[in-house]
Amino acid sequence: VLIRDLLDKGYSVTCLDNLMYKQFSLFDLAVNSSFNLVIGDVRDERIIEEMVPQYDFIFPLAAIVGLPTCDRNPRKATETNLDSIVLLNKHRSKEQRVIFPTTNTGYGTKTGDVFCTEETPLEPISLYGRTKVDAERHLLESGKDVIALRLATVFGTSLRMRTDLMVNDFVLQALKQGYLMVYEGNFKRNFIHIRDVSGCFQHCMEHFDSMKNSIYNVGLDSANISKLGLAAKIKEQLPDIGIVAMDIREDPDKRNYIVSNEKITKTGFVPRYTLEEGIAELIRGYKILIAIEHREHGNF
């Protein structure tokens, strides 16, 4: 999403990717002479040493994300989420501008009643959270210019979207099963649309000098919401689904917090997409995917 937006604005963009997911989401960009793909790994110092000095802005997006994925391969998660950031920072100059997406996962298990600001102590409860928090700290303490964006949980369609993220997952479950089973439904999160994440990166590029060397929460103030609240919003658009609140099983992800996004808003950044619009978008998109799935299984 970000690459396409940057190309549309006239930037030249190079992407370093090891294509570990065998994805085709960049294939159509071959038509654009301002796009360049380097197939390689962010953990490879030879590649980083050669590539990094060439660019004005650097977006370290490579990561092993989420609690279960990191726990399955802790070494790879640490090398990708933290060690590669240290390596990148080693080989960039002070003049090169880094915009780093960290996560508000670092706020951990707050009460869900008091808004977390950028000054709230970080208490990550997962390897994923710890690696991202440590990488953010390394960049901010390095003496080189950086903007750190603590992203809320992302939702919305894209060419290689994560269906395991909460809004995306809940909408898919509702469509395929006809009901939502919600565990620890009072736990709260903050959310942000994928295209607003891209928009925030561009906003940071345009206002880098006034925003640099600081941390910003990036989410929707209107979307500090509990799991059950999210389920209710989905039911507003899919009225026939059922919602079952279950207390017999614990969610291994114990995060529970609400977030203030006032600081980024004061810089002039305004998200364009509401949670309700994102749910409607996901319903439209998933109907296509479900139809394809049915056709593949001979149900047409």
Side-chain angles (χ1 to χ4, degrees):
V1 173
L2 177 61
I3 290 172
R4 284 169 173 78
D5 287 348
L6 292 173
L7 290 171
D8 285 346
K9 288 202 168 183
Y11 291 102
S12 296
V13 182
T14 295
C15 177
L16 172 64
D17 200 312
N18 63 10
L19 302 178
M20 63 181 286
Y21 297 108
K22 304 177 183 178
Q23 70 269 27
F24 286 87
S25 52
L26 302 175
F27 183 75
D28 66 299
L29 297 180
V31 71
N32 194 320
S33 61
S34 294
F35 174 70
N36 180 39
L37 174 64
V38 176
I39 300 173
D41 198 295
V42 293
R43 299 171 295 173
D44 187 333
E45 185 162 11
R46 291 172 301 171
I47 293 176
I48 296 301
E49 186 176 13
E50 178 184 344
M51 286 186 64
V52 162
Q54 303 176 46
Y55 301 97
D56 300 311
F57 284 93
I58 302 170
F59 307 86
L61 302 179
I64 306 299
V65 292
L67 184 152
T69 309
C70 288
D71 286 352
R72 281 195 297 270
N73 198 332
R75 178 178 176 180
K76 187 174 183 180
T78 301
E79 289 175 349
T80 307
N81 298 0
L82 175 58
D83 296 347
S84 74
I85 301 303
V86 175
L87 183 62
L88 165 67
N89 210 43
K90 171 185 173 182
H91 289 288
R92 68 151 172 148
S93 70
K94 289 187 176 182
E95 290 73 35
Q96 289 178 293
R97 300 172 170 191
V98 167
I99 301 174
F100 179 62
T102 180
T103 169
N104 64 23
T105 294
Y107 292 127
T109 54
K110 304 296 190 242
T111 64
D113 297 323
V114 178
F115 284 94
C116 296
T117 71
E118 291 79 359
E119 286 72 44
T120 300
L122 297 174
E123 299 173 355
I125 60 172
S126 65
L127 176 62
Y128 171 61
R130 290 193 296 274
T131 56
K132 294 295 283 185
V133 165
D134 288 347
E136 177 190 272
R137 182 183 301 113
H138 174 79
L139 289 170
L140 288 165
E141 293 178 354
S142 71
K144 298 179 180 181
D145 289 344
V146 62
I147 294 174
L149 302 177
R150 291 181 182 165
L151 303 180
T153 300
V154 178
F155 63 90
T157 59
S158 65
L159 287 174
R160 206 194 70 78
M161 61 187 288
R162 286 181 57 198
T163 57
D164 61 312
L165 293 172
M166 188 176 291
V167 180
N168 296 353
D169 177 43
F170 274 25
V171 175
L172 184 58
Q173 283 188 52
L175 283 168
K176 296 186 78 170
Q177 300 174 170
Y179 65 90
L180 281 172
M181 191 169 291
V182 182
Y183 300 94
E184 295 180 319
N186 292 321
F187 280 16
K188 295 177 181 176
R189 301 277 178 82
N190 192 218
F191 300 97
I192 187 74
H193 194 284
I194 179 64
R195 296 184 190 280
D196 282 327
V197 174
S198 176
C200 190
F201 272 100
Q202 295 167 70
H203 176 80
C204 291
M205 293 176 72
E206 293 162 4
H207 300 86
F208 192 90
D209 288 337
S210 61
M211 294 177 64
K212 65 184 180 182
N213 303 323
S214 195
I215 304 161
Y216 301 88
N217 292 330
V218 182
L220 288 167
D221 283 331
S222 61
N224 280 299
I225 193 171
S226 70
K227 294 180 184 179
L228 281 173
L230 172 60
K233 285 190 175 293
I234 294 170
K235 187 174 175 62
E236 288 174 4
Q237 300 193 41
L238 295 171
D240 293 335
I241 68 167
I243 299 173
V244 182
M246 301 291 289
D247 295 324
I248 60 172
R249 198 184 88 182
E250 291 187 353
D251 188 337
D253 190 340
K254 296 293 186 183
R255 285 177 291 154
N256 180 28
Y257 49 78
I258 55 177
V259 177
S260 168
N261 302 290
E262 181 180 3
K263 185 176 177 181
I264 190 76
T265 302
K266 285 183 174 179
T267 70
F269 173 70
V270 180
R272 296 180 297 160
Y273 296 89
T274 66
L275 182 58
E276 290 81 2
E277 289 170 332
I279 292 169
E281 168 193 329
L282 287 163
I283 292 170
R284 292 191 296 270
Y286 281 144
K287 284 181 177 178
I288 297 170
L289 297 184
I290 291 170
I292 292 170
E293 185 178 287
H294 286 174
R295 183 174 289 278
E296 288 176 344
H297 289 87
N299 295 330
F300 271 80

